[in-house]
Amino acid sequence: MFKTLIASAAIGLALIGNALAAPPDWFPKDSKKPFEEIVVGFANLGPSLNGYAAAYFKAFNEYAAELGVKPIMTDAALDPARQADQVRDLIAQQVDVMIVWPVNGKAIVPAARQIAQAGIPLIISNSMIDESGMEAMTSYTGPDDYAEAQEAGKIMAAALNGKGNIVLLNGTPGYRMAQLRYDGFMEVISKYPDIKVLDSQPADMSQAKGQTLMENFITRFGKQIDGVYSVDSGVGFGALTATRAAIQEGTLEAGKIKFVDATMYGFVWDLIKTGEYYGSVYQSPEEDARLALRSALKLAAGEKLKQFEYLETPGVTKANVDSIARPNF
């Protein structure tokens, strides 16, 4: 009897909590479905990719809890085939709206088309789907990776005064974000005939691989290297670590190489302040996550969104670093 009373009290408190909870101010008043009944499916690539992804998923879960939303989450563990299977499972569960952070922009296209055929609105988050699957996407939320890379290119050109030799440490082949961050950077750098790309290699979003590639670049090119462009700060820090070792060995000159990347981590914010790292581009994983969930809930309510909902991503150098909040990842 006592256990029954406790259970009944718990249910009663839960019902009171639900009754008191109100949809957020930004939620459409004329929603075609009550806020508390919306089911969000999220087929994500997994938080193990890097520090940014880990911060994104932490923020996503916290925001969902704050709103009282319980999304159905899957983790592809960076496996595109697994992600496609998980998308089909979410379709079978008849979610009201789907968020997908693609492991591979091209590989996800057939699954994205299945989402569209099922009549489920689709948010592509953080990394763009391949152009061949754009018609299946309802809206994209996240960074404009091409614009970020263009900003990084401008920062590099300024760092070198329009002249010098650079090496590129790119992302994972097939990952749409990686291609955009290469293309945008090169679109700017190609306007400077006196800036030469010595080599360009995929670092797979890995700090360790960034360090290994930079060690190889130093062996091959040595003092010819004037600048390093990395897909993000994790890879960039790996390159910086290799450079520090070469400086200690006397192979390279301290302060000669300018480091620039396209997504700033907290430790690179620190290094920009000291001048050891030249520049980066600010991108908030917390706002990235919140934007995806807000947009998904609005779509499920029947609100029409812009096709592209971009984050603000300003360039950061020593000149303005104090005006930018230090990233917590």
Side-chain angles (χ1 to χ4, degrees):
M1 174 68 74
F2 181 73
K3 289 182 178 179
T4 301
L5 289 172
I6 292 293
S8 298
I11 292 170
L13 287 172
L15 290 172
I16 291 171
N18 286 339
L20 292 175
D25 292 341
W26 46 260
F27 188 73
K29 305 299 183 188
D30 58 349
S31 173
K32 62 184 182 181
K33 190 167 188 177
F35 180 79
E36 65 274 11
E37 294 181 13
I38 293 175
V39 179
V40 178
F42 189 3
N44 62 67
L45 79 178
S48 61
L49 176 66
N50 54 28
Y52 184 95
Y56 176 111
F57 291 112
K58 180 176 183 291
F60 188 95
N61 288 323
E62 289 174 349
Y63 192 43
E66 175 188 329
L67 294 173
V69 176
K70 293 183 179 179
I72 302 174
M73 306 274 284
T74 65
D75 180 351
L78 308 181
D79 182 341
R82 182 176 180 179
Q83 184 172 58
D85 288 339
Q86 291 171 342
V87 164
R88 286 187 280 272
D89 287 342
L90 290 170
I91 293 172
Q93 294 183 64
Q94 298 182 324
V95 298
D96 297 300
V97 62
M98 188 97 68
I99 303 171
V100 176
W101 182 342
V103 175
N104 183 296
K106 185 168 287 187
I108 198 63
V109 170
R113 287 175 176 159
Q114 290 173 346
I115 295 170
Q117 289 166 3
I120 299 172
L122 171 60
I123 294 283
I124 295 292
S125 178
N126 186 270
S127 181
M128 187 64 70
I129 193 171
D130 187 76
E131 290 181 355
S132 63
M134 290 282 287
E135 81 287 347
M137 178 188 81
T138 310
S139 184
Y140 167 83
T141 67
D144 183 340
D145 290 299
Y146 193 88
E148 281 193 15
Q150 287 179 310
E151 183 65 25
K154 294 173 186 176
I155 293 172
M156 179 64 80
L160 300 180
N161 292 315
K163 183 177 182 179
N165 300 313
I166 61 175
V167 291
L168 276 58
L169 301 173
N170 305 313
T172 305
Y175 192 30
R176 180 72 172 151
M177 175 271 281
Q179 188 62 48
L180 290 170
R181 290 192 183 178
Y182 172 84
D183 291 344
F185 182 82
M186 289 304 300
E187 190 270 331
V188 173
I189 292 301
S190 65
K191 297 176 182 177
Y192 295 86
D194 292 329
I195 296 180
K196 179 181 178 183
V197 177
L198 297 173
D199 199 359
S200 174
Q201 295 290 334
D204 297 334
M205 318 300 291
S206 164
Q207 180 174 322
K209 189 166 183 180
Q211 181 173 343
T212 299
L213 285 172
M214 189 62 189
E215 289 168 350
N216 293 336
F217 286 155
I218 291 170
T219 299
R220 292 168 56 201
F221 304 117
K223 295 180 180 179
Q224 295 180 62
I225 303 172
D226 300 303
V228 177
Y229 169 62
S230 301
V231 67
D232 65 17
S233 288
V235 172
F237 188 75
L240 178 62
T241 301
T243 303
R244 284 172 169 173
I247 291 170
Q248 288 183 343
E249 294 168 358
T251 306
L252 295 176
E253 177 187 343
K256 178 177 182 288
I257 297 178
K258 308 302 181 185
F259 293 86
V260 176
D261 68 59
T263 298
M264 183 174 64
Y265 291 14
F267 51 78
V268 160
W269 186 92
D270 299 332
L271 294 169
I272 291 173
K273 278 182 70 73
T274 65
E276 189 176 11
Y277 206 98
Y278 191 86
S280 184
V281 181
Y282 177 75
Q283 179 182 316
S284 167
E286 292 81 12
E287 184 51 34
D288 197 357
R290 290 191 289 264
L291 178 60
L293 184 52
R294 280 197 307 272
S295 299
L297 291 166
K298 289 178 181 179
L299 274 182
E303 181 172 319
K304 185 174 177 60
L305 302 181
K306 293 187 294 185
Q307 187 177 20
F308 299 99
E309 299 275 353
Y310 290 129
L311 297 172
E312 292 186 11
T313 52
V316 184
T317 65
K318 194 171 185 179
N320 69 334
V321 66
D322 287 327
S323 67
I324 303 292
R326 184 186 187 278
N328 61 0
F329 63 98

